[in-house]
Amino acid sequence: STSVMNISEHLSCPLGFGHYNAVDICILETVVIVLLTFLIIAGNLTVIFVFHCAPLLHHYTTSYFIQTMAYADLFVGVSCLVPTLSLLHYSTGIHESLTCQVFGYIISVLKSVSMACLACISVDRYLAITKPLSYNQLVTPCRLRICIILIWIYSCLIFLPSFFGWGKPGYHGDIFEWCATSWLTNAYFTGFIVCLLYAPAAFVICFTYFHIFKICRQHTKEINDRRARFPSHEVDAAGETGHSPDRRYAMVLFRITSVFYMLWLPYIIYFLLESSRVMENPALSFLTTWLAISNSFCNCVIYSLSNSVFRLGLRRLSETICSSC
């Protein structure tokens, strides 16, 4: 009971109106944070191990970006250990402000990497479908590695002004009191982030996937017309070896992208509203923040359920672990 009361004093729990209700809310928030931290770390470690154990997954050029996202999401889970441990070890003064700034910066950079990787994946699939003959010359392992390095550099630079007092990078958690009361958002910095990160990534993804599915739909229609005119095995073989595998793989990646934006859209909307001083609700701040962070675990679930090669690699990994045990 004493430890719970100490936790409630260290956390700013805006959802509770009475003292005991605030303690209950603090316990609920603690359970959410600890559970998400465990799921994110465990899920992304599984993805990383499966990619190392399933050579077939490396045949896709997008595996570079998927693995980069897995490492970024794993670091998100590791970073979430900071608020988890802060529930037991509370610091004040300069240490609290520095911890809050570093944590917010790291989380923002890591999610920026995920967002940029999703945009690059959509461009990669767009090139694979629109330029199948010259794709291998355009997309090489060396260029992919350079692209990933540039993604990390860009993500680190775009949020760097937050350390010089120009707004908040986007984290709205209520774990540290200094984060909620002293570190305020700035409308200009928010507009800067939206214009250089959120909006371009969303535009690229919408443009590429729109044309991907448009081309695949046209291709499917052409195959159906050929089957109707010339019902032969040659047409069926041509249809099976055409854009069908690319379309299925594009659908997997489209699901990952859709879930990403569904979980991040409430956070981005609240980020804009708070920056413009239209709304300030600590309860919504907590919910939208950790809903967005939960995406780091959802990527693992979607990929494992949607990709047959990944499921095969996961099964082999499970069999290896079980046999060694």
Side-chain angles (χ1 to χ4, degrees), residues 127-140:
L127 293 175
I129 291 179
T130 57
K131 300 181 183 297
L133 298 179
S134 59
Y135 174 76
N136 291 330
Q137 287 75 33
L138 291 173
V139 182
T140 62

Side-chain angles (χ1 to χ4, degrees), residues 215-225 227 247:
I215 293 169
C216 290
R217 189 167 56 249
Q218 290 175 350
H219 185 76
T220 304
K221 183 180 178 181
E222 291 174 1
I223 292 175
N224 292 333
D225 292 340
R227 286 176 178 172
R247 187 179 187 277

